[in-house]
Amino acid sequence: MIEHASIYAQRRARVASQLGHGGLAIIPTAPERQRNRDSDFLYRHDSYFYYLTGFTEPNATLVITAEGEATLFCQPKDMEREIWDGIRLGPDAAPAFLGVNKAFSSADLAAQMPKLLENRSTVWYPFATHTGLEGRVDGWLQSVRARVRFGALCPDLQRDLCSVLDEMRLVKDAHEQGIMRRASQISAHAHVRAMQRSAAMLRAGQDVREYHLDAELLHEFRQHGSQYPAYGSIVAAGANACVLHYRADAGPIRDGELVLIDAGCELDGYASDITRTFPANGRFTGPQRALYDLVLASQDEAVAATKAGARFVEPHEATVAVLAQGLLDLGLLDKSKVGSAQDVIANRSYFPFYMHRTGHWLGMDVHDCGSYVEPSQVGQVSERKDPLSGETIKDRPSRILQPGMVLTIEPGLYVRPAEGVPEQFWNIGIRIEDDAIVTETGCELITRGVPVKADEIEALMKG
Ligand code: GLY
Ligand code: MN
Ligand code: MN
């Protein structure tokens, strides 16, 4: 039997209990995707499907009824295909191995789904996540409708299963937290390795490139059993750090410049997401250090604001308050033009230097699912400004943090050359990102296996 089968069974039971009388849920896994001609992208299962099955084969669909019956459609045994692509579980072995009640070949999906849907009241599936699923559901419902003259009942309601699954996934159970701690630890060590390689290569007078550090990250991820990076690693030297979605490329890593690495591994279906910014040669210059310490101070405040009962926006607000004052103090913003720190915040004058949010949910997906609005308070009178768009949001208060939610805390500053900005700060991009599990009293930072204080980074990069 699959490890932790009971955890997946309990999750399926929780879904079943929310489908309502006569409900049925359909959850397909992800399709295989072609990269070019005969090569596919490395396969990655669908997160919702995996959350409910722990099963990683492609071409599979899970069906859950309100009565708690789970049916799996999976790839049939096929000697020839298994010689080429690997062993398949197959429908005969699936019930005992995965703990589902029944299993069929995925080739039988079209024939079986109308039977499963007949006499059901509501069909649930994740909306707008699987290309073509709506059309397939339509086709199955047409088949049911063709039988109404024979007394069949056809579901008359379709509902979005994301609303159920997103809320469940938002709060991580102990099993999930354990995996996320391990993923974070691997990623943290990968960052340490990359920092040390950068300084060592520069000391040896070698031509250091962004891909050298990317290779260190990958090595450490795979060495410890991570299946793949959780997202495209960013290794950005010098001015490249000011490009938020820069990808590890071939840029030269020069003595005297900073390197920003945003990278995390995926382990057993769960992402980690760490950013560190460090001097390529292991020693910060004065202006680099001034900006670095400011970003770190803003992160400290954000961490302090991350606790059960606080709202999701509070760490961001704490960050912005520190950055606004710091930008004035360091002369990146001119008091005589922009006014006080409060004015800087109100008018969003910090925006050219800090244009992203301070965090996001983290889980199976690096930008994980889950509403950023508090569901229990939708419609209650409130008003706030979205920190990024500046739009007024009425009656949708920010999410209240609960123990077990996991989020990133990732303030940054990005200084492009511009008139009025002291030249010593030009082309410096800094982000510091850690992953936090919300607890009753605060949060647990699970990514501190890589140091974050400037002195500690310098110490570990020494020869
Ligand atoms: N690595 C993606 C992010 O930090 O959101
Ligand atoms: Mn992030
Ligand atoms: Mn990141």
Side-chain angles (χ1 to χ4, degrees):
M1 187 161 231
I2 192 174
E3 245 191 309
H4 309 294
S6 66
I7 290 176
Y8 302 111
Q10 282 163 23
R11 290 177 187 159
R12 292 192 295 269
R14 277 181 70 197
V15 170
S17 71
Q18 295 175 73
L19 299 179
H21 184 72
L24 174 141
I26 303 167
I27 309 102
T29 194
E32 294 173 288
R33 292 189 170 88
Q34 188 186 31
R35 184 171 184 273
N36 60 335
R37 204 176 287 261
D38 285 343
S39 298
D40 282 351
F41 282 106
L42 195 57
Y43 183 69
R44 166 59 156 77
H45 54 261
D46 173 78
S47 296
Y48 291 127
F49 177 85
Y50 181 78
Y51 183 71
L52 298 171
T53 59
F55 188 49
T56 54
E57 281 185 29
N59 298 316
T61 301
L62 176 70
V63 176
I64 301 173
T65 66
E67 299 77 50
E69 184 162 87
T71 304
L72 183 79
F73 293 86
C74 62
Q75 300 183 115
K77 296 296 282 180
D78 178 329
M79 180 67 89
E80 194 195 335
R81 285 321 320 160
E82 291 183 54
I83 286 171
W84 286 91
D85 300 331
I87 295 264
R88 296 174 172 189
L89 177 63
D92 290 344
F97 188 70
L98 297 172
V100 295
N101 302 90
K102 278 191 207 151
F104 295 99
S105 162
S106 28
D108 295 336
L109 191 67
Q112 289 296 328
M113 277 314 302
K115 291 183 193 164
L116 289 167
L117 283 164
E118 189 167 316
N119 302 326
R120 292 269 151 198
S121 59
T122 309
V123 52
W124 296 75
Y125 55 92
F127 284 6
T129 53
H130 298 270
T131 309
L133 180 58
E134 285 81 357
R136 290 202 296 281
V137 172
D138 246 28
W140 299 328
L141 291 177
Q142 279 172 19
S143 300
V144 179
R145 203 172 283 146
R147 289 182 32 81
V148 293
R149 276 173 294 152
F150 302 98
L153 293 174
C154 188
D156 60 3
L157 196 58
Q158 298 193 26
R159 293 197 58 182
D160 186 7
L161 191 66
C162 293
S163 62
V164 170
L165 292 174
D166 289 358
E167 281 301 300
M168 288 174 61
R169 281 175 52 188
L170 183 52
V171 178
K172 277 71 180 173
D173 60 32
H175 168 69
E176 297 181 287
Q177 290 181 27
I179 302 171
M180 292 187 77
R181 281 190 193 92
R182 288 200 298 282
S184 298
Q185 191 68 2
I186 295 169
S187 300
H189 289 156
H191 277 259
V192 168
R193 241 185 112 110
M195 287 176 186
Q196 291 179 329
R197 177 98 195 268
S198 172
M201 285 185 76
L202 281 176
R203 273 196 297 273
Q206 291 167 340
D207 178 21
V208 195
R209 300 280 163 167
E210 291 162 345
Y211 54 72
H212 287 125
L213 307 196
D214 193 27
E216 292 299 315
L217 300 167
L218 281 171
H219 176 93
E220 192 73 8
F221 292 173
R222 291 295 283 146
Q223 187 71 17
H224 291 91
S226 150
Q227 288 78 8
Y228 15 69
Y231 52 91
S233 301
I234 296 172
V235 179
N240 294 337
C242 293
V243 180
L244 295 181
H245 284 165
Y246 185 82
R247 292 287 290 273
D249 199 353
I253 294 182
R254 298 191 184 93
D255 208 316
E257 288 186 336
L258 291 176
V259 183
L260 182 155
I261 295 184
D262 182 345
C265 71
E266 180 173 314
L267 180 71
D268 299 343
Y270 287 81
S272 54
D273 185 7
I274 303 182
T275 308
R276 287 292 182 268
T277 310
F278 57 91
N281 63 12
R283 286 179 316 279
F284 285 92
T285 65
Q288 289 168 353
R289 175 77 189 246
L291 281 189
Y292 187 89
D293 286 347
L294 172 56
V295 175
L296 185 57
S298 79
Q299 199 208 29
D300 286 343
E301 288 303 305
V303 170
T306 302
K307 52 177 180 261
R311 295 203 183 259
F312 177 80
V313 290
E314 288 180 42
H316 182 77
E317 289 166 354
T319 290
V320 165
V322 175
L323 293 180
Q325 186 60 54
L327 288 168
L328 290 169
D329 294 344
L330 292 174
L332 282 104
L333 289 172
D334 183 348
K335 263 189 198 84
S336 69
K337 295 203 176 109
V338 297
S340 69
Q342 260 132 353
D343 298 325
V344 168
I345 296 166
N347 302 323
R348 300 194 304 140
S349 315
Y350 58 84
F351 207 76
F353 305 106
Y354 185 47
M355 63 300 277
H356 60 76
R357 284 174 217 274
T358 302
H360 52 79
W361 305 132
L362 181 73
M364 293 185 156
D365 300 326
V366 65
H367 292 177
D368 207 30
C369 59
S371 174
Y372 288 91
V373 169
E374 176 54 39
S376 66
Q377 296 179 337
V378 172
Q380 286 185 18
V381 178
S382 70
E383 195 171 309
R384 64 189 164 100
K385 242 190 192 170
D386 180 73
L388 235 56
S389 66
E391 285 169 31
T392 302
I393 303 176
K394 283 195 172 149
D395 308 341
R396 281 173 285 137
S398 173
R399 187 89 201 206
I400 297 172
L401 300 180
Q402 290 172 38
M405 290 179 174
V406 182
L407 67 159
T408 65
I409 306 177
E410 49 177 309
L413 281 177
Y414 312 90
V415 187
R416 290 164 178 280
E419 214 183 292
V421 176
E423 211 171 323
Q424 56 177 343
F425 297 122
W426 285 9
N427 294 319
I428 295 179
I430 292 169
R431 179 165 62 255
I432 302 171
E433 175 172 31
D434 284 285
D435 303 342
I437 302 177
V438 178
T439 64
E440 287 292 351
T441 52
C443 66
E444 175 190 344
L445 295 178
I446 57 178
T447 39
R448 285 292 172 87
V450 52
V452 72
K453 290 198 173 96
D455 289 341
E456 289 172 6
I457 288 175
E458 289 186 341
L460 85 84
M461 292 179 73
K462 277 210 175 100

